[in-house]
Amino acid sequence: MRAWSWWDHVYLYGLIVYIAIRGRFGARTKHNEKVVRRVDVRDRALVALVFIGSMILPLLYLFTHWLAFADYSFPQFVPWCGAVVMLFALWLFWRSHVDLGLNWSITLEIRKDHELVERGVYRRVRHPMYTAIFLFSIAQGLLLPNWLAGWSALVSFALLYLSRVGREEQMMREFFGESYVAYMQRTGRLWPMK
Ligand code: SAH
């Protein structure tokens, strides 16, 4: 095993909190009855790629020497910034799960009794959970000085986001009609519009 820096610990604890949030809310939505499903091979493949980029490669980096060829070094202030970004990402990840409640799904689905959530962190941003995942992926890059393990989450999640966000909004528009169109007009995708 490689010698651990303080920042490796910070990253690992952040990842554990991230998995705990997802696990807790994921378990709650397990028995949801679905009325719309837009899952396809591409979405599934990209979810798998994100899993590799945000869990497998960082864990290989932490627990083996295999990725050492891609190591580099960065100035001390970089991981400090990473820790701050990670804290904010975890807060936003948790809040978006709380606000979405039973309406959460790992993929493109609408459940029976699905409610359009427009409160809390959804009030001015349509995809705060994706913002949180982007921020967590950036924090990973700022905490782990390795080209592969550091930036694999950001690249894989960017691909999933680009492939999914338009289709997700289309699905929501088809299901919620005018209310979603009005919601789109007063919100930004990843960042508050006004
Ligand atoms: N894109 C959102 C949610 C991600 S979870 C975010 O980043 O915060 C993906 C599922 O959330 C989708 O299948 C859709 O059913 C649901 N969803 C997305 N936006 C929603 C909203 N405003 N209200 C209720 N459900 C929503």
Side-chain angles (χ1 to χ4, degrees):
M1 203 166 114
R2 24 182 301 288
W4 278 46
S5 76
W6 156 254
W7 299 112
D8 292 337
H9 289 272
V10 171
Y11 169 76
L12 186 63
Y13 296 137
L15 183 65
I16 291 170
V17 173
Y18 182 95
I19 294 170
I21 295 173
R22 179 109 305 170
R24 183 165 169 207
F25 287 89
R28 278 195 199 169
T29 57
K30 221 157 113 190
H31 302 294
N32 277 352
E33 195 181 321
K34 310 290 169 5
V35 292
V36 178
R37 252 172 97 75
R38 297 279 161 87
V39 192
D40 61 5
V41 179
R42 187 171 73 177
D43 200 73
R44 273 184 198 280
L46 288 170
V47 169
L49 198 67
V50 171
F51 180 72
I52 293 170
S54 55
M55 313 254 164
I56 306 290
L57 288 178
L59 292 177
L60 283 179
Y61 167 78
L62 290 175
F63 291 101
T64 73
H65 285 287
W66 300 352
L67 305 183
F69 66 91
D71 282 348
Y72 60 93
S73 57
F74 45 41
Q76 263 302 308
F77 73 90
V78 173
W80 276 105
C81 297
V84 173
V85 173
M86 178 173 266
L87 271 182
F88 181 65
L90 286 174
W91 174 82
L92 188 59
F93 195 58
W94 168 64
R95 282 311 316 169
S96 50
H97 276 87
V98 171
D99 289 337
L100 213 50
L102 288 175
N103 305 296
W104 177 78
S105 161
I106 194 158
T107 181
L108 297 186
E109 296 175 327
I110 303 271
R111 71 178 183 116
K112 186 166 173 272
D113 303 323
H114 202 107
E115 179 203 350
L116 175 59
V117 175
E118 300 173 76
R119 60 177 178 272
V121 290
Y122 285 84
R123 196 158 67 87
R124 286 162 66 197
V125 183
R126 292 199 287 290
H127 305 289
M129 196 177 288
Y130 296 160
T131 309
I133 299 173
F134 266 122
L135 291 174
F136 192 91
S137 307
I138 291 169
Q140 180 174 320
L142 298 177
L143 286 165
L144 307 181
N146 180 281
W147 290 115
L148 267 178
W151 299 104
S152 50
L154 186 61
V155 172
S156 54
F157 186 69
L159 293 175
L160 176 65
Y161 173 80
L162 290 173
S163 139
R164 186 187 273 190
V165 71
R167 294 173 60 219
E168 179 168 333
E169 292 183 348
Q170 173 71 24
M171 176 185 82
M172 296 297 282
R173 259 200 321 257
E174 283 170 24
F175 196 77
F176 291 103
E178 277 310 307
S179 342
Y180 196 76
V181 174
Y183 175 61
M184 285 178 86
Q185 276 159 5
R186 58 172 189 277
T187 50
R189 265 187 168 164
L190 292 173
W191 210 248
M193 207 163 62
K194 20 187 162 0

